[in-house]
Amino acid sequence: MAKKYTKKHEVSYYECDINQTMTFPSMLGVVIKTSEDQSDQLGRGSEFVNSFGLTWVITNYSMEINRLPRVGEVISVTTQAMEYNKFFCYRNFWIHDEDGKELVKIESVFVLMDFVNRKMSSVNEEIIAPFESEKIKKIKRQEKIEKIDSGFMLPYRVRFYDIDSNQHVNNAMYFNWIIDVLGYDFLTTHVPEKVIIRFDKEVEYGNEIESHFEQIPIENGVKTKHEIRMQEQLYCEANIIWKNK
Amino acid sequence: MAKKYTKKHEVSYYECDINQTMTFPSMLGVVIKTSEDQSDQLGRGSEFVNSFGLTWVITNYSMEINRLPRVGEVISVTTQAMEYNKFFCYRNFWIHDEDGKELVKIESVFVLMDFVNRKMSSVNEEIIAPFESEKIKKIKRQEKIEKIDSGFMLPYRVRFYDIDSNQHVNNAMYFNWIIDVLGYDFLTTHVPEKVIIRFDKEVEYGNEIESHFEQIPIENGVKTKHEIRMQEQLYCEANIIWKNK
C-alpha cells in the first residue's frame, strides 16, 4: 500500500473568488505543494529528480467535487502515489473538511520528462521506490474529453506571473483562461461538480493563446467544453460539469 | 503602544516567480491576511466592520525591500496598527526571515468606506479601539509619486479571478499589470528595492485597463514609473526603484 501524506491548510481570502470558494489555481497549488512536501520528506524532492536530468510533468487531472473549500476553513489535503507502469505514475489527492467529509477527490497522471530534450522518460525506480506505489502493467485509460463542436473564444497573453518558480507555465494557470471565458454571470450561478482536463503541450511565456469554449445544457446544469489553442495547435482540453446554484 | 500580531508562513513554489522569490500579489496577500487575522482575534473582523455599513480600503503602500522572501523559507509576518487620525489609519507590516533579519517593511494607509455610497467614512472608534493605536492630529504626507513623462503601455482585461472573496478587485492584483509590462528580460535582471503606490479609484470586473510605464536609469539601477489608466482617468500610480542583479 502506497504511503499517504496529509497536510492541513487554512483557506485564505485571496485564494477564493467572489463565490467565497477556492479558485482552481489556488486549490491545485495547495494540492501539488502537498505532493512536493511528501517527495521532500522521502528524500525525493526536485533536486534529487533533477540530478537525473528529469522533471515531473502533470498530463491529466480528473476531479470530483462535492463542495469547493470555503474562505476561512481548515482543510486537510492528502496525497498518495497509487500505481505506476513503464511511463505513467497515477497519484490521488483528497481534500477533507474539519469533520472528515470528503470535499474534493483528484486523480492525476504524472510523467517524468528529460528537461534537455523535453521528451518523456521511462519511470525511474530510484526516484519512485520510497513512495511504495504498486507497479502495474496496464496503461490506465483516461476518460474521453469531448471536443468542441461550435464555440466562442477569447485571447489571453501569457504573463510573467504565469510562470512559477518551477520555471514554466504552471498547469494550474490554464484554469485562469478556461474559467475566465465563462464570464461573471455564469460563474456566480453555477458550481463545478466534475472536471477532466488534459495538458497536451506546454504554453510558453509571451505566447498569446486562445481559450475556446462551448456550453451544452444538461439536466440540472451545464457541461462546458474547453480547448486552449494556438494557431490550430491544441495545448489543453477540458470538460466541466456544472450544476445550477 | 499598539498591539503587534505575528504569524509564520511557509513560502510555496506557487507564490514565487521564475526568480524563486515571492510575487507582489502573493506577498501582499499573506501580509493582508495577517491584519485580517489580528482583526478577527480582537473581535473586529469583517462582519463587525460590515455591521456599520463599512469596509476597509487600502489607499497607499510604501515598501522597503532588503530581500524578497524565497521559495521554501519560513517567514514571520508582523503587523501593527500604528496611528490614526480622523480619516486615516496607518498600519505597518514587517517580514522577517528565520534568523530574525528584516526582509521587507511595508507602511500602509487604510480608510473606512461606506459600502453603499462608496464614500470615505470617518474613523469609527468602536472598530479600532482594541488595536490600541495612537490617535494623532496630523495627516501624514505620503511620499510623492512621480508622473510618467513619456512611456509605453499594454492593455489588460480585468478577469474573474482578479476579484477576490472580499467582492472587489484586490489591490494586490494591480501589481500583476504593473509588473507584467516590464517584461521577462527586465524582471530577471533587476530586483525591487523600494515601492510606493497609491490606489486612486477602484477598477471593476470586465474593465479593460491600460498599464502605462516608463523606465529611468539611476545609479546602479532603474526607476520605473507606473500608471493604471482607463480613458484618461487615473486609477493607480506607482514608482519602483530596482537595483541591477
Side-chain angles (χ1 to χ4, degrees):
Chain A
M1 186 71 164
K3 283 178 182 154
K4 277 193 183 181
Y5 181 89
T6 299
K7 202 177 170 175
K8 287 198 187 292
H9 176 80
E10 185 191 333
V11 181
S12 287
Y13 77 94
Y14 57 84
E15 296 171 328
C16 294
D17 65 26
I18 198 166
N19 297 308
Q20 311 292 315
T21 52
M22 262 184 130
T23 67
F24 283 105
S26 298
M27 192 165 69
L28 290 169
V30 169
V31 152
I32 298 307
K33 179 67 165 68
T34 314
S35 71
E36 294 197 347
D37 288 351
Q38 183 185 33
S39 299
D40 286 341
Q41 193 204 41
L42 298 174
R44 294 297 180 272
S46 53
E47 268 183 47
F48 187 84
V49 177
N50 294 350
S51 73
F52 294 91
L54 300 173
T55 185
W56 285 112
V57 172
I58 297 161
T59 64
N60 293 70
Y61 285 117
S62 170
M63 308 184 203
E64 302 276 353
I65 303 161
N66 292 318
R67 167 170 82 68
L68 288 168
R70 285 194 201 108
V71 178
E73 78 176 324
V74 176
I75 54 174
S76 292
V77 184
T78 300
T79 186
Q80 189 175 22
M82 309 299 290
E83 298 160 326
Y84 70 103
N85 52 39
K86 190 164 180 216
F87 287 108
F88 301 100
C89 297
Y90 303 103
R91 178 182 276 279
N92 286 3
F93 300 92
W94 297 265
I95 299 177
H96 289 93
D97 69 9
E98 286 180 279
D99 300 328
K101 204 170 161 254
E102 185 181 298
L103 302 184
V104 181
K105 179 181 179 187
I106 304 175
E107 297 182 354
S108 69
V109 183
F110 280 61
V111 299
L112 283 163
M113 193 181 67
D114 182 306
F115 54 61
V116 176
N117 65 24
R118 308 304 275 177
K119 291 218 168 107
M120 202 162 92
S121 152
S122 58
V123 172
N124 177 313
E125 296 281 346
E126 211 178 326
I127 290 173
I128 64 152
F131 296 93
E132 298 177 12
S133 309
E134 185 189 349
K135 185 163 190 173
I136 57 174
K137 282 261 186 271
K138 169 175 99 155
I139 290 177
K140 293 171 92 175
R141 288 280 150 230
Q142 301 300 306
E143 200 173 330
K144 202 172 145 46
I145 300 178
E146 292 172 26
K147 315 280 301 167
I148 290 175
D149 292 318
S150 68
F152 300 90
M153 77 94 178
L154 280 176
Y156 292 87
R157 197 173 55 244
V158 180
R159 300 178 184 174
F160 185 73
Y161 280 159
D162 295 336
I163 330 172
D164 70 17
S165 57
N166 290 336
Q167 315 282 331
H168 54 83
V169 177
N170 186 331
N171 277 347
M173 288 300 157
Y174 289 58
F175 277 93
N176 275 325
W177 310 317
I178 284 176
I179 294 301
D180 193 61
V181 288
L182 297 171
Y184 187 95
D185 291 343
F186 183 92
L187 292 168
T188 50
T189 53
H190 294 83
V191 179
E193 267 195 326
K194 186 171 175 171
V195 179
I196 48 175
I197 186 164
R198 185 167 69 226
F199 306 100
D200 296 305
K201 221 172 130 50
E202 274 186 84
V203 171
E204 281 167 22
Y205 171 76
N207 285 164
E208 185 166 291
I209 61 91
E210 298 168 0
S211 179
H212 294 258
F213 69 107
E214 181 180 10
Q215 296 184 19
I216 295 164
I218 55 170
E219 206 181 333
N220 303 320
V222 178
K223 174 187 281 189
T224 58
K225 303 181 189 177
H226 301 269
E227 292 172 16
I228 304 295
R229 290 192 224 152
M230 210 166 16
Q231 290 114 35
E232 303 304 306
Q233 173 88 50
L234 190 62
Y235 280 72
C236 170
E237 49 200 316
N239 288 171
I240 308 178
I241 306 286
W242 305 80
K243 65 177 175 226
N244 300 326
K245 233 187 197 176
Chain B
M1 185 72 165
K3 282 181 183 152
K4 278 194 183 181
Y5 181 88
T6 299
K7 202 176 170 178
K8 286 195 186 296
H9 177 79
E10 185 190 331
V11 181
S12 286
Y13 77 94
Y14 56 83
E15 296 171 328
C16 295
D17 65 25
I18 198 168
N19 297 309
Q20 312 291 315
T21 51
M22 264 184 129
T23 67
F24 283 105
S26 298
M27 193 165 70
L28 289 169
V30 169
V31 151
I32 298 307
K33 179 68 165 65
T34 314
S35 71
E36 294 197 347
D37 288 351
Q38 183 186 31
S39 300
D40 287 341
Q41 193 204 42
L42 299 174
R44 294 297 179 270
S46 53
E47 269 183 46
F48 186 84
V49 177
N50 293 350
S51 72
F52 295 89
L54 299 175
T55 184
W56 285 112
V57 172
I58 298 162
T59 64
N60 293 69
Y61 284 119
S62 169
M63 307 184 203
E64 302 275 354
I65 303 162
N66 292 318
R67 168 170 82 70
L68 288 167
R70 287 195 200 105
V71 178
E73 76 177 325
V74 176
I75 54 175
S76 292
V77 184
T78 300
T79 187
Q80 189 176 20
M82 309 299 292
E83 300 160 324
Y84 70 102
N85 53 38
K86 188 162 182 214
F87 287 107
F88 301 99
C89 297
Y90 303 103
R91 179 181 275 280
N92 287 2
F93 300 93
W94 297 266
I95 300 178
H96 289 93
D97 70 9
E98 286 180 278
D99 300 327
K101 203 170 161 255
E102 185 182 299
L103 302 185
V104 181
K105 179 181 179 186
I106 305 176
E107 298 181 356
S108 69
V109 183
F110 280 62
V111 299
L112 283 163
M113 193 181 68
D114 183 305
F115 57 58
V116 176
N117 65 24
R118 308 305 274 177
K119 291 220 169 107
M120 201 161 92
S121 151
S122 58
V123 172
N124 176 312
E125 297 281 347
E126 210 177 328
I127 290 174
I128 64 152
F131 296 93
E132 298 177 12
S133 309
E134 185 190 348
K135 185 164 191 172
I136 56 174
K137 283 260 185 271
K138 168 175 102 154
I139 290 178
K140 292 170 91 174
R141 288 280 152 230
Q142 301 300 305
E143 199 173 332
K144 200 171 147 48
I145 300 179
E146 293 172 26
K147 317 280 298 168
I148 290 174
D149 292 316
S150 68
F152 300 91
M153 78 91 175
L154 280 175
Y156 292 87
R157 197 174 55 245
V158 180
R159 300 178 183 173
F160 185 72
Y161 279 160
D162 295 335
I163 330 170
D164 70 18
S165 56
N166 290 337
Q167 314 282 333
H168 55 81
V169 177
N170 184 331
N171 277 347
M173 288 299 157
Y174 289 57
F175 278 94
N176 275 326
W177 310 318
I178 284 176
I179 293 301
D180 193 61
V181 288
L182 297 172
Y184 187 95
D185 291 343
F186 184 92
L187 293 168
T188 51
T189 52
H190 295 83
V191 178
E193 267 194 327
K194 185 168 178 177
V195 179
I196 48 176
I197 186 165
R198 185 166 71 226
F199 306 101
D200 297 306
K201 221 172 130 55
E202 273 188 86
V203 171
E204 282 168 20
Y205 172 76
N207 286 164
E208 185 167 290
I209 61 90
E210 298 167 358
S211 180
H212 293 259
F213 68 108
E214 181 180 10
Q215 295 184 20
I216 295 166
I218 55 169
E219 207 182 334
N220 303 319
V222 178
K223 174 188 278 188
T224 57
K225 303 180 187 177
H226 301 269
E227 292 174 15
I228 304 295
R229 292 192 220 151
M230 211 165 17
Q231 291 114 34
E232 303 304 305
Q233 173 89 50
L234 189 63
Y235 281 72
C236 170
E237 49 200 316
N239 290 169
I240 308 178
I241 306 286
W242 305 80
K243 65 177 173 226
N244 301 325
K245 233 188 198 175

